Amino acid sequence: MEQYKIDFINFMVESDVLKFGEFTLKSGRKSPFFMNAGAYVTGSQLRRLGQFYAQAIHEHYGDDFDVLFGPAYKGIPLSVATSIAFSEMYGKEIRYCSNRKEVKDHGDTGILLGSKIKDGDKVVIIEDVTTSGKSIEETFPIIKAQGDVEIKGLMVSLNRMERGLSTNASALDEIQQKYGFAANAIVSMEDVVECLYNKECQGRVIIDDKLKEAIDAYYDEYGVK
């Protein structure tokens, strides 16, 4: 596993973003782990988060794109932090763009926040985590309505590796099959387990045998077949 992935997993734990225990998801599933990107709240955390995203995006998509689109609301700080990091790390100016939940009818009007998207633009979508792919159903038509735009791919921080909305494929695979663009994550839950199982992080073992059994049972029921 690449060092930046190990560093990112440790960073998620340190930031109290990736938690383990018993959680009820929006889907109603009982999960032994939960990721909350809203827990990145300090300047140093957002700076590091943008760097991790920038490295993963550069690895998968290079720098031949123009706009980072972060769906409201959590995607807004992600797109801003990552475009700053991309400029610092790779010397490429990427514009950031997000959508508004409500169309603004005065001042800076319209549904978009930040840069406008225009004909010929190449766009990378950036999100925190995709469990079912539902957010892309809302995001995709907004981007495509802006003109002759190419979506190069989606980048999320964590691939939960669960079945998507309508098939036994993962949500990220479903997105790729349905919309025709690549979908990748900085790390997967498989990476997380490999990195943390019976190994110390922050002075303690995060995933012990009991938690590993709970994670395995969860994937037996909800994981990608």
Coordinates of all heavy atoms in Angstrom, one line a residue, residues 28-32 161-164 167-168 213-225:
G28 N -30.6 2.6 7.0 CA -31.1 1.7 8.0 C -30.2 0.6 8.4 O -30.4 -0.1 9.4
R29 N -29.1 0.4 7.7 CA -28.1 -0.6 8.0 C -27.4 -0.3 9.3 O -27.1 0.9 9.6 CB -27.1 -0.8 6.8 CG -27.7 -1.2 5.5 CD -26.6 -1.2 4.4 NE -27.2 -1.6 3.1 CZ -26.5 -1.6 2.0 NH1 -25.2 -1.2 2.0 NH2 -27.0 -2.0 0.9
K30 N -27.1 -1.3 10.0 CA -26.3 -1.2 11.3 C -24.9 -1.5 10.9 O -24.5 -2.6 10.5 CB -26.8 -2.2 12.3 CG -28.3 -2.1 12.6 CD -28.6 -0.9 13.4 CE -30.1 -0.9 13.8 NZ -30.5 0.3 14.5
S31 N -24.1 -0.4 11.0 CA -22.7 -0.5 10.5 C -21.7 -0.4 11.7 O -21.9 0.3 12.6 CB -22.4 0.6 9.5 OG -21.0 0.6 9.2
P32 N -20.6 -1.2 11.7 CA -19.6 -1.2 12.7 C -18.6 0.0 12.5 O -17.6 0.1 13.3 CB -18.9 -2.5 12.6 CG -19.0 -2.9 11.2 CD -20.4 -2.4 10.7
M161 N -17.2 0.0 -0.1 CA -17.2 -1.3 -0.7 C -18.5 -2.0 -0.4 O -18.6 -3.2 -0.1 CB -16.0 -2.1 -0.2 CG -14.7 -1.5 -0.5 SD -13.3 -2.4 0.2 CE -13.5 -4.0 -0.6
E162 N -19.6 -1.3 -0.4 CA -21.0 -1.8 -0.2 C -21.7 -1.9 -1.6 O -21.4 -1.1 -2.5 CB -21.8 -1.0 0.8 CG -21.2 -1.1 2.2 CD -21.9 -0.2 3.1 OE1 -23.1 -0.1 3.0 OE2 -21.3 0.5 4.0
R163 N -22.7 -2.7 -1.6 CA -23.6 -2.7 -2.8 C -24.2 -1.4 -3.0 O -24.6 -0.7 -2.1 CB -24.7 -3.8 -2.7 CG -24.1 -5.2 -2.6 CD -25.2 -6.3 -2.7 NE -26.2 -6.1 -1.7 CZ -26.2 -6.7 -0.5 NH1 -25.1 -7.4 -0.2 NH2 -27.2 -6.6 0.3
G164 N -24.4 -1.0 -4.3 CA -25.0 0.2 -4.7 C -26.6 0.2 -4.6 O -27.2 -0.7 -3.9
T167 N -27.7 -2.9 -7.9 CA -27.0 -4.1 -8.4 C -26.2 -4.6 -7.2 O -26.1 -4.0 -6.1 CB -26.1 -3.8 -9.6 OG1 -25.0 -3.0 -9.2 CG2 -26.9 -3.1 -10.7
N168 N -25.5 -5.7 -7.5 CA -24.5 -6.2 -6.5 C -23.2 -5.6 -6.6 O -22.2 -6.0 -5.9 CB -24.5 -7.8 -6.6 CG -25.7 -8.4 -6.0 OD1 -26.3 -7.9 -5.1 ND2 -26.0 -9.6 -6.6
E213 N -14.3 -9.2 13.4 CA -15.4 -10.1 13.2 C -16.7 -9.3 12.8 O -17.5 -9.8 12.0 CB -15.7 -10.9 14.5 CG -14.6 -12.0 14.7 CD -14.9 -12.8 16.0 OE1 -16.0 -12.6 16.6 OE2 -14.0 -13.5 16.4
A214 N -16.9 -8.2 13.5 CA -18.1 -7.4 13.2 C -18.1 -6.8 11.8 O -19.1 -6.8 11.1 CB -18.3 -6.3 14.2
I215 N -16.9 -6.4 11.4 CA -16.7 -5.8 10.0 C -16.9 -6.9 9.0 O -17.6 -6.7 8.0 CB -15.3 -5.2 9.9 CG1 -15.2 -3.9 10.7 CG2 -15.0 -4.8 8.4 CD1 -13.8 -3.3 10.8
D216 N -16.3 -8.1 9.2 CA -16.5 -9.2 8.3 C -18.0 -9.6 8.2 O -18.5 -9.9 7.1 CB -15.7 -10.4 8.8 CG -14.2 -10.2 8.6 OD1 -13.8 -9.3 7.9 OD2 -13.4 -11.0 9.2
A217 N -18.7 -9.6 9.3 CA -20.1 -10.0 9.3 C -20.9 -9.0 8.5 O -21.8 -9.3 7.7 CB -20.6 -10.1 10.7
Y218 N -20.5 -7.7 8.6 CA -21.2 -6.6 7.9 C -21.0 -6.8 6.4 O -22.0 -6.7 5.6 CB -20.7 -5.3 8.3 CG -21.4 -4.1 7.7 CD1 -22.6 -3.7 8.2 CD2 -20.8 -3.4 6.7 CE1 -23.3 -2.6 7.6 CE2 -21.4 -2.3 6.1 CZ -22.7 -1.9 6.6 OH -23.3 -0.9 6.0
Y219 N -19.8 -7.1 6.0 CA -19.6 -7.3 4.6 C -20.2 -8.6 4.0 O -20.5 -8.7 2.8 CB -18.1 -7.2 4.3 CG -17.7 -5.8 4.2 CD1 -16.9 -5.2 5.2 CD2 -18.1 -4.9 3.2 CE1 -16.6 -3.8 5.1 CE2 -17.8 -3.6 3.1 CZ -17.0 -3.1 4.1 OH -16.7 -1.7 4.0
D220 N -20.3 -9.6 4.9 CA -21.0 -10.8 4.5 C -22.5 -10.5 4.0 O -23.0 -11.1 3.1 CB -21.0 -11.9 5.6 CG -19.7 -12.6 5.8 OD1 -18.9 -12.5 4.8 OD2 -19.5 -13.2 6.8
E221 N -23.0 -9.5 4.7 CA -24.4 -9.2 4.5 C -24.6 -8.1 3.4 O -25.5 -8.2 2.5 CB -25.1 -8.7 5.8 CG -26.6 -8.5 5.6 CD -27.3 -8.3 6.9 OE1 -26.7 -8.4 8.0 OE2 -28.6 -8.1 6.9
Y222 N -23.7 -7.1 3.5 CA -23.9 -5.9 2.6 C -22.8 -5.6 1.6 O -22.9 -4.7 0.8 CB -24.1 -4.6 3.5 CG -25.3 -4.7 4.4 CD1 -25.1 -4.7 5.8 CD2 -26.6 -4.8 3.9 CE1 -26.2 -4.7 6.7 CE2 -27.7 -4.8 4.8 CZ -27.5 -4.8 6.1 OH -28.5 -4.8 7.0
G223 N -21.8 -6.4 1.7 CA -20.6 -6.1 0.8 C -20.8 -6.5 -0.6 O -21.8 -7.2 -1.0
V224 N -19.9 -6.1 -1.4 CA -19.9 -6.4 -2.9 C -19.7 -7.9 -3.0 O -18.8 -8.5 -2.5 CB -18.9 -5.6 -3.6 CG1 -18.9 -6.0 -5.1 CG2 -19.1 -4.1 -3.5
K225 N -20.5 -8.5 -3.8 CA -20.4 -9.9 -4.1 C -19.4 -10.2 -5.1 O -19.3 -9.4 -6.1 CB -21.8 -10.5 -4.5 CG -22.9 -10.3 -3.5 CD -22.6 -11.0 -2.1 CE -23.7 -10.8 -1.2 NZ -23.4 -11.4 0.2

